[in-house]
């Protein structure tokens, strides 16, 4: 029976035998083959899978063959470990070993869950950061059963102490790796956050550039609490309420809300009457807070009824443009009035001049002479040239120079004035002589050589075109229209006292050097050091006034004219008239006056420069000016309110160039004491003409 049962199976497996055997094999194979497949799938395959997953180990301690297999497997593991040591770092091997001890044999899932940071992409940083806590919890739970798993999986018995040390080292290695990964993730997140913030800020800046006429500031009438700490906060709030009420009144009228429009107009008039000309809260009427409250309620109502963001923006922009136009118009009017004020002489100074003139002509002829006239042509002394028609201004220049001079007896002042002020100038210095210094006063109208046949400026002033330009009034209907060319209609540009600086060798033929001073300066230090400066063959010693892009030649001259463009550098540095040391010997050698005449004749139609003496001075002394140290001469006290105090205090000369002269009411208060300290306000003439400090 046994043979008969095995024969078909063997015959079928071998494929041989007779015909009876073939029939039996055929019928047997049809039943046995499916059975074998089922047994393999449900019995043998799972066993093979679990054996493979457990590393090929079968824990049967009693079987000697299994022991031999385990020894062979340990040998293979040792060989694989040695190969891994040549590839992976020690920390990674420790982590793999400890993880195997805790979780069993390695699998693909292990590497998916515990991949090295270098295998991860940046896109997974956020996901990993969210799951880091879960991973840590799993690691902790795994650590709690580490000893038990280790004893089961390790085939070689080890000492408990060694086991604890290995376990602790592995945990420390894992902990360090986790900390490094966390730090890296945190740094990456911070970096990305900073980059995003910078991008947002840059985008906001670009958007802000596209907004025109933006009114910056935190002031808003819609704030519940007013943050202004100034004393005029209520005044400002009321003015802003009036502006918003005007905007809403226009919107209400356009939407046919006549009741709201009338109410807004009424409140606007009330607020305007309440504010009036007030500049501080103390100037307001006691009813102002109530008007602010009522207006605020009305504005809230108007906002609910007619508010339209686009319409409000357009209306405010239109109001802003209108305000800009008004500001420009007011600036023109201010320029006109300041130019007009600069041309005038205060009543007190006019009074002083008239009284001095009367008393001078009452003096006998023998008392009209100054002492030490022999010093006037001595080239060894320090000579000053001062051309002025303002008695008080000239007295400040002389007094400040002498009071700060180390050797006053060596200083000589040459004053030149016009016929109208000649008597007053003489009388003042006869009554108030400058100590041991020498002084002399001349009348420019007595210089007979200074006539229209010799002087181009005088000849041009006699032309019909120049008379029309200067003296024919356009009868402007507004102040702003009358400001055209007003600066150049100033009498000083027509006076020969202003142009006399180009004729110094003709006025003082016996002198070698002379220091020219304007009448709107104050001397604060001894100036004798200027005579010791080597001008290196130049004619004019002056302080340069140019900066990086201003007060250069192109500011004063017309470089579209070929004569100017061909002969001068537009970026050449300008310099200041007001305190200039002139070498009269070099002047005569280089015929400076002739150069001046040449350019003045070419400018008869005012095509090279407008008017004044600085532009022709720049042309005449081009490449003939030696720059002085800036501490010798500080300018701008007549127009610049932001000059550093230390610069003024350290300057040898301060200059009130500009319209805000120190003797005018429009002078800047903080600069005026530098000038007034040299006036004797207790003098009978000054006190009699009500000249006050």
């Amino acid at each position: 029976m046994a043979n008969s049962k095995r024969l078909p199976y063997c015959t079928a497996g071998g494929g041989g035998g007779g015909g009876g055997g073939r029939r039996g094999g055929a019928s047997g194979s049809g039943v046995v083959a499916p059975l074998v497949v089922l047994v393999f799938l449900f019995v043998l395959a799972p066993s093979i899978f679990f054996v493979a997953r457990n590393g090929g180990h079968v824990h049967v301690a009693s079987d000697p063959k299994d022991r031999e297999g385990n020894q062979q497997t340990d040998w293979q593991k040792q060989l694989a470990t040695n190969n891994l040591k040549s590839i992976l770092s020690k920390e990674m091997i420790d982590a793999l070993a400890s993880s195997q001890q805790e979780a069993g044999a390695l699998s693909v899932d292990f590497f998916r869950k515990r991949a090295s940071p270098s295998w991860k992409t940046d896109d997974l940083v956020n996901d990993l950061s969210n799951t880091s806590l879960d991973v840590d919890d799993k690691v902790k739970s795994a650590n709690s059963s580490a000893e038990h798993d280790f004893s089961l999986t390790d085939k070689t018995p080890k000492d408990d102490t060694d086991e604890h040390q290995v376990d602790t080292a592995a945990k420390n290695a894992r902990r360090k790796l986790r900390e490094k990964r966390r730090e890296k993730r945190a740094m990456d997140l911070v970096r990305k956050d900073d980059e995003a913030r910078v991008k947002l800020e840059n985008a906001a800046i670009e958007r802000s550039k596209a907004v025109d006429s933006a009114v910056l500031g935190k002031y808003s009438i819609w704030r519940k609490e007013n943050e202004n700490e100034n004393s005029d906060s209520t005044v400002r709030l009321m003015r802003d309420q009036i502006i918003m009420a005007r905007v809403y009144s226009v919107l209400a009228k356009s939407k046919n809300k006549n009741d709201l429009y009338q109410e807004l107009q009424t409140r606007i008039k009330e607020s305007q009457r309440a504010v009036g000309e007030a500049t501080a809260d103390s100037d307001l009427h006691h009813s102002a807070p109530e008007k602010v409250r009522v207006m605020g309620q009305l504005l809230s109502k108007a906002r609910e009824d007619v508010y339209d963001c686009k319409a409000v923006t357009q209306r405010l922009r239109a109001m802003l443009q209108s305000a800009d136009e008004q500001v420009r118009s007011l600036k023109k009017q201010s320029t006109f009035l300041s130019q007009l004020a600069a041309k005038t002489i205060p009543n007190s100074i006019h009074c002083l001049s008239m009284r001095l003139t009367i008393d001078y002509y009452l003096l006998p002829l023998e008392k009209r002479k100054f002492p030490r006239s022999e010093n006037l042509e001595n080239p060894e002394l320090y000579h000053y040239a001062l051309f002025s028609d303002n008695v008080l201004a000239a007295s400040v220049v002389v007094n400040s120079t002498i009071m700060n001079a180390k050797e006053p007896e060596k200083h000589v002042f040459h004053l030149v004035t016009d016929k109208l002020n000649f008597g007053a100038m003489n009388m003042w210095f006869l009554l108030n002589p400058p100590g041991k210094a020498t002084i002399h006063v001349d009348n420019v109208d007595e210089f007979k050589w200074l006539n229209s046949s010799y002087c181009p400026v005088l000849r041009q002033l006699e032309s019909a075109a120049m008379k029309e330009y200067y003296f024919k009034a356009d009868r402007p209907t507004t102040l702003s229209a009358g400001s055209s060319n007003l600066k150049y209609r100033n009498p000083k540009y027509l006076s020969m006292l202003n142009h006399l600086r180009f004729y110094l060798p003709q006025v003082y033929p016996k002198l070698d050097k002379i220091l020219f001073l304007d009448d709107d300066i104050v001397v604060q230090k001894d100036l004798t050091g200027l005579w010791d400066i080597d001008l290196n063959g130049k004619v004019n010693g002056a302080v340069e006034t140019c900066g990086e892009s201003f007060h250069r030649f192109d500011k004063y001259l017309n470089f579209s004219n070929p004569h100017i463009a061909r002969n001068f550098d537009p970026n050449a540095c300008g310099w200041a008239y007001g305190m200039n040391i002139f070498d009269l010997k070099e002047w005569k050698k280089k015929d400076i006056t002739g150069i001046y005449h040449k350019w003045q004749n070419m400018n008869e139609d005012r095509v090279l420069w407008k008017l004044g003496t600085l532009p022709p001075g720049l042309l005449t002394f081009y490449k003939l000016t030696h720059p002085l140290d800036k501490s010798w001469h500080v300018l701008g006290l007549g127009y610049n309110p932001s000059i550093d105090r230390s610069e003024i205090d350290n300057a040898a000369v301060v200059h009130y160039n500009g319209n805000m002269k120190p003797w005018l009411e429009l002078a800047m208060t903080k600069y005026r004491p530098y000038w007034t300290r040299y006036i004797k306000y207790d003098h009978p003439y000054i006190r009699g003409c009500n000249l006050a400090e």
Side-chain angles (χ1 to χ4, degrees), residues 250-268:
V250 173
L251 297 179
K253 190 174 183 179
S254 64
K255 295 184 179 182
N256 295 323
K257 295 185 178 292
N258 295 325
D259 294 340
L260 179 60
Y261 171 77
Q262 293 296 336
E263 189 175 0
L264 285 168
Q265 290 294 320
T266 301
R267 296 302 179 190
I268 289 173

Side-chain angles (χ1 to χ4, degrees), residues 342-490:
K343 294 195 301 182
T344 59
I345 296 293
N347 286 336
S348 54
I349 296 180
H350 180 71
C351 165
L352 177 64
S353 179
M354 291 300 100
R355 290 194 177 190
L356 289 170
T357 300
I358 293 172
D359 290 347
Y360 175 75
Y361 288 108
L362 293 176
L363 283 177
L365 293 177
E366 62 273 10
K367 292 185 178 181
R368 297 183 185 178
K369 295 181 180 180
F370 290 99
R372 296 181 289 275
S373 59
E374 66 278 2
N375 293 335
L376 296 176
E377 296 181 351
N378 185 354
E380 301 298 326
L381 302 179
Y382 305 111
H383 294 266
Y384 300 84
L386 175 61
F387 309 144
S388 175
D389 57 359
N390 187 326
V391 176
L392 195 62
S395 70
V396 170
V397 175
V398 175
N399 289 344
S400 62
T401 304
I402 297 302
M403 290 177 66
N404 291 285
K406 296 179 180 178
E407 298 177 300
E409 66 278 4
K410 293 184 178 181
H411 294 257
V412 181
F413 291 90
H414 302 268
L415 271 69
V416 181
T417 187
D418 55 16
K419 184 188 298 184
L420 182 63
N421 294 281
F422 178 73
M425 200 74 73
N426 275 280
M427 189 65 187
W428 176 264
F429 288 106
L430 286 171
L431 294 173
N432 306 280
K436 298 179 180 180
T438 303
I439 194 166
H440 181 72
V441 180
D442 283 316
N443 182 1
V444 69
D445 297 316
E446 294 180 358
F447 296 161
K448 302 303 179 184
W449 51 268
L450 196 62
N451 50 55
S452 59
S453 61
Y454 176 67
C455 179
V457 171
L458 288 175
R459 183 172 64 254
Q460 291 167 10
L461 288 175
E462 293 177 356
S463 67
M466 192 68 77
K467 288 179 180 178
E468 182 178 1
Y469 179 79
Y470 278 111
F471 304 114
K472 183 178 180 181
D474 293 333
R475 302 186 185 281
T477 56
T478 62
L479 288 176
S480 58
S483 63
S484 175
N485 290 326
L486 182 66
K487 175 180 178 181
Y488 304 109
R489 289 187 171 91
N490 194 315

